[in-house]
Amino acid sequence: MQLKGLLLLLIAAFIWGTTFVAQMVGMEDLGPFTYAMSRYFLGFLFLIGLWRLRRNQREQEKKRGTYHPGWRAGFGAGAIMFVGTSLQQVAMLYTTAGKTAFITALYIILVPMGAALLGKKIFGENWAGAGIALAGLYLLSIHGEFSLSYGDGLVLLSALFWAAQILFIDRYAERVDAIELSVAQIAVCWLGSTLAALLFETISWGPIAAAWFAIFYGGVMSGGVAFTLQIVGQKYAEPGPAAIVMSFEAVFGAVSSWLILGELMSSTQIAGCALMMAGVLVTQSRLLFAKQRR
């Protein structure tokens, strides 16, 4: 079951990583909130259809007494996710898809720290990994200056909320209906993005229609499929290994931005990426070595 969960999370990481490219393309003529509104609307429709398809199975679970609704947990997860995705979406107006993917991967450092605040012990390798990853972030983002760019700072802030979302999902994934949790989560993101688009942007249907594929991919594949795979995958995988696998969205994001968008990275930035990934692995070294000894 552990392997099943990790495979589901790897597929989710691939979809998330390639979605960074879809976000960049989709926002060429759209505001960040208009794009988010459109993508999450499609994701919501997809998930509602999936929820209706499971109605017979849900009725059977109710008869067995194993059904636990996921709406309330989904609303909480959605509120956290809306802030994280909004910060990330706006940040991509000021930074590249590849850098966004790697900086977002810092949630792998933040997750064990958040777990420590919730009463779990944090080990020395967590601090060592955080230091290595921060050194990588310096090489990747600062370019010899002593301050992050505006876009990089927003992405870094969004990473805090993604870490909170992972911890929140870890708490409820095994307890409630995964599809209902996902529906509610995406619904909150859709409604929040719609409100923000109406307040801060001018919504034009022509550019939305022109960006249909980027919206479809970001909505159905990322919003609908990948986040549902995350919830189901975290039912079976331990938080440490799960976070490692999900962090590979950074690798998929950098590679896809290079292949599709033609983004170039200097040798210093590549070294920064390597250090960030090394930090990711160091934070979970205890779990990796434990797996090898079994």
Side-chain angles (χ1 to χ4, degrees):
M1 299 300 281
Q2 173 86 348
L3 179 59
K4 175 183 177 180
L6 294 178
L7 286 175
L8 292 175
L9 292 173
L10 184 62
I11 296 171
F14 172 79
I15 297 172
W16 287 331
T18 51
T19 298
F20 283 116
V21 176
Q23 286 176 275
M24 294 293 284
V25 173
M27 289 195 301
E28 287 181 352
D29 297 307
L30 291 176
F33 293 116
T34 300
Y35 174 75
M37 172 194 72
S38 304
R39 69 178 281 208
Y40 286 126
F41 175 66
L42 288 185
F44 174 72
L45 292 181
F46 171 82
L47 288 169
I48 282 292
L50 190 60
W51 177 76
R52 288 184 60 83
L53 286 175
R54 288 192 72 255
R55 59 183 178 273
N56 291 335
Q57 183 178 347
R58 199 161 47 248
E59 289 300 321
Q60 293 176 3
E61 291 173 355
K62 289 179 179 180
K63 292 178 181 178
R64 294 194 301 266
T66 58
Y67 167 76
H68 302 284
W71 304 112
R72 183 178 298 178
F75 292 139
I80 298 169
M81 181 175 155
F82 170 67
V83 178
T85 193
S86 296
L87 288 168
Q88 185 186 78
Q89 199 76 39
V90 173
M92 293 186 74
L93 295 173
Y94 307 99
T95 188
T96 65
K99 286 171 65 179
T100 299
F102 272 102
I103 296 172
T104 301
L106 278 179
Y107 64 68
I108 191 64
I109 309 297
L110 300 170
V111 165
M113 292 183 176
L117 292 176
L118 296 175
K120 295 184 179 180
K121 184 178 180 180
I122 183 168
F123 299 100
E125 60 267 24
N126 299 130
W127 298 113
I132 294 171
L134 288 175
L137 178 61
Y138 178 87
L139 294 177
L140 179 64
S141 303
I142 299 181
H143 308 304
E145 301 176 0
F146 289 98
S147 62
L148 292 170
S149 71
Y150 178 68
D152 297 337
L154 289 178
V155 179
L156 188 58
L157 186 59
S158 78
L160 294 170
F161 286 91
W162 288 119
Q165 189 259 2
I166 291 171
L167 290 169
F168 193 93
I169 294 297
D170 181 67
R171 179 178 177 85
Y172 289 100
E174 292 187 77
R175 304 182 183 184
V176 302
D177 185 285
I179 301 300
E180 291 181 351
L181 195 163
S182 192
V183 171
Q185 177 177 247
I186 297 302
V188 171
C189 290
W190 165 46
L191 293 173
S193 297
T194 300
L195 179 61
L198 291 171
L199 290 174
F200 303 113
E201 297 172 358
T202 300
I203 300 175
S204 300
W205 299 111
I208 291 176
W212 71 270
F213 184 76
I215 292 171
F216 169 83
Y217 194 86
V220 174
M221 297 304 296
S222 178
V225 176
F227 281 105
T228 302
L229 289 176
Q230 177 201 359
I231 295 167
V232 177
Q234 284 192 248
K235 281 188 174 184
Y236 304 113
E238 294 295 324
I244 292 174
V245 172
M246 285 189 284
S247 74
F248 275 85
E249 68 173 300
V251 177
F252 293 127
V255 172
S256 60
S257 64
W258 168 59
L259 290 174
I260 300 173
L261 299 181
E263 292 183 0
L264 300 177
M265 301 183 75
S266 67
S267 58
T268 300
Q269 289 177 295
I270 292 173
C273 292
L275 280 175
M276 288 186 69
M277 295 308 297
V280 164
L281 295 176
V282 167
T283 59
Q284 303 299 331
S285 59
R286 182 183 298 266
L287 285 170
L288 290 174
F289 291 139
K291 294 289 184 182
Q292 291 176 357
R293 288 195 294 267
R294 290 181 183 177

